[in-house]
């Protein structure tokens, strides 16, 4: 009974958390494209779209972070025996994700959000691309940890416990390469689908047709 409850709790947390992950990766890339277009063409319509979908991105990231923190705790609480056994390997890419990718994404998202009137246009543009890069790297480290669970590599048994001895093997795990490629492509599809759906909703409700036709066209191209 306890095991079933642990599985149900972790499954519900993971499902709800992953709703926001592909949207974050896809929307970050699409928002960066919109701002790049505005930076080059100085078209106010692209600026409006950048701010609009950037706001949706920030809200999505905030909810994803909250659900992700809960999931991190459940690794140790729901699967404590497993975490004690392989935590020094499984935890390595998770630590890299938290210390490198997540801080890169969150720091530059803050700079992007509050730097509109404080940073130069070029530097501000770089911040949203850094957010997109951070989200992609975050997914890479998470998928590396997940792939090791499916296909353990790069370790040796020492005193009955696995110890990491080749981090490169973990990061080039064949399961990781295929799984990560699938996640990136799925994220582009998901982000574009969300942008298309929001644009269609705005057009249906009488929003600025000239503005949201542009975002709908971009979403269709990416799809």
């Amino acid at each position: 009974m306890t095991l079933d409850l642990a599985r149900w709790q972790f499954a519900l947390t993971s499902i709800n958390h992953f709703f926001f992950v592909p949207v974050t990766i896809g929307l970050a890339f699409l928002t960066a494209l919109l701002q790049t277009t505005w930076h080059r063409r100085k078209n106010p319509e692209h600026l409006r779209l950048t701010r609009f979908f950037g706001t949706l991105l920030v809200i999505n990231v905030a909810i994803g972070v909250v659900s992700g923190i809960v999931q991190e705790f459940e690794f140790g609480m729901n699967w404590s025996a497993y975490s004690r056994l392989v935590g020094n390997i499984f935890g390595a890419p998770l630590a890299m994700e938290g210390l490198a990718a997540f801080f890169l994404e969150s720091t530059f998202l803050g700079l992007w959000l509050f730097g509109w009137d404080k940073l130069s246009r070029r530097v501000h543009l770089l911040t949203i691309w850094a957010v997109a890069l951070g989200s992609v790297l975050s997914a890479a480290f998470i998928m590396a940890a997940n792939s090791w669970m499916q296909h353990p590599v790069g370790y040796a048994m020492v005193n009955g416990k696995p110890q990491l001895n080749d981090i490169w093997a973990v990061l080039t795990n064949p399961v990781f390469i295929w799984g990560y490629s699938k996640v990136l492509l799925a994220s582009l599809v998901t982000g574009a689908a969300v942008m298309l759906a929001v644009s269609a909703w705005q057009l249906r409700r009488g929003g600025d047709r000239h503005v949201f036709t542009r975002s709908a066209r971009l979403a269709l191209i990416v799809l």
Side-chain angles (χ1 to χ4, degrees), residues 87-215:
N88 59 341
I89 300 178
F90 179 71
L94 294 181
M96 294 177 187
E97 188 273 337
L99 295 174
F102 174 71
F103 275 101
L104 172 68
E105 180 184 359
S106 57
T107 298
F108 281 96
L109 185 63
L111 290 172
W112 181 84
L113 183 61
F114 298 107
W116 281 99
D117 301 320
K118 299 176 179 63
L119 301 174
S120 68
R121 289 180 56 178
R122 179 173 297 179
V123 173
H124 192 258
L125 175 62
L126 291 176
T127 61
I128 190 62
W129 279 109
V131 172
L133 175 62
S135 66
V136 167
L137 287 176
S138 182
F141 289 123
I142 295 297
M143 285 302 300
N146 180 272
S147 299
W148 189 88
M149 295 172 65
Q150 316 305 321
H151 180 61
V153 294
Y155 72 97
M157 296 300 294
V158 179
N159 297 324
K161 288 188 176 182
Q163 287 191 5
L164 181 65
N165 61 6
D166 188 357
I167 186 62
W168 182 247
V170 176
L171 298 177
T172 57
N173 191 334
V175 176
F176 162 72
I177 294 173
W178 285 106
Y180 183 51
S181 302
K182 181 179 179 180
V183 165
L184 291 183
L185 293 174
S187 297
L188 289 177
V189 171
T190 305
V194 169
M195 178 175 283
L196 180 61
V198 172
S199 301
W201 176 256
Q202 290 290 333
L203 292 171
R204 187 170 184 268
R205 291 179 60 86
D208 193 323
R209 180 169 297 275
H210 194 57
V211 171
F212 287 101
T213 298
R214 291 178 181 271
S215 57

Side-chain angles (χ1 to χ4, degrees), residues 43-64:
N43 189 329
E45 294 171 349
H46 287 107
L47 175 60
R48 180 180 172 186
L49 287 172
T50 300
R51 287 181 174 270
F52 180 84
F53 285 102
T55 301
L56 297 182
L57 171 64
V58 171
I59 295 172
N60 187 81
V61 170
I63 302 174

Side-chain angles (χ1 to χ4, degrees), residues 17-98:
H17 174 62
F18 200 75
F19 280 148
F20 305 100
V21 173
V23 178
T24 295
I25 298 173
L27 267 187
F29 176 74
L30 291 168
T31 303
L33 286 181
L34 287 171
Q35 186 164 345
T36 301
T37 305
W38 170 68
H39 179 77
R40 291 180 175 178
R41 301 180 182 178
K42 299 178 175 60
N43 189 329
E45 294 171 349
H46 287 107
L47 175 60
R48 180 180 172 186
L49 287 172
T50 300
R51 287 181 174 270
F52 180 84
F53 285 102
T55 301
L56 297 182
L57 171 64
V58 171
I59 295 172
N60 187 81
V61 170
I63 302 174
V65 167
V66 172
S67 58
I69 291 174
V70 175
Q71 188 179 45
E72 289 280 357
F73 278 105
E74 289 182 6
F75 285 136
M77 296 176 67
N78 295 40
W79 315 118
S80 54
Y82 179 79
S83 296
R84 282 194 297 268
L85 179 64
V86 300
N88 59 341
I89 300 178
F90 179 71
L94 294 181
M96 294 177 187
E97 188 273 337

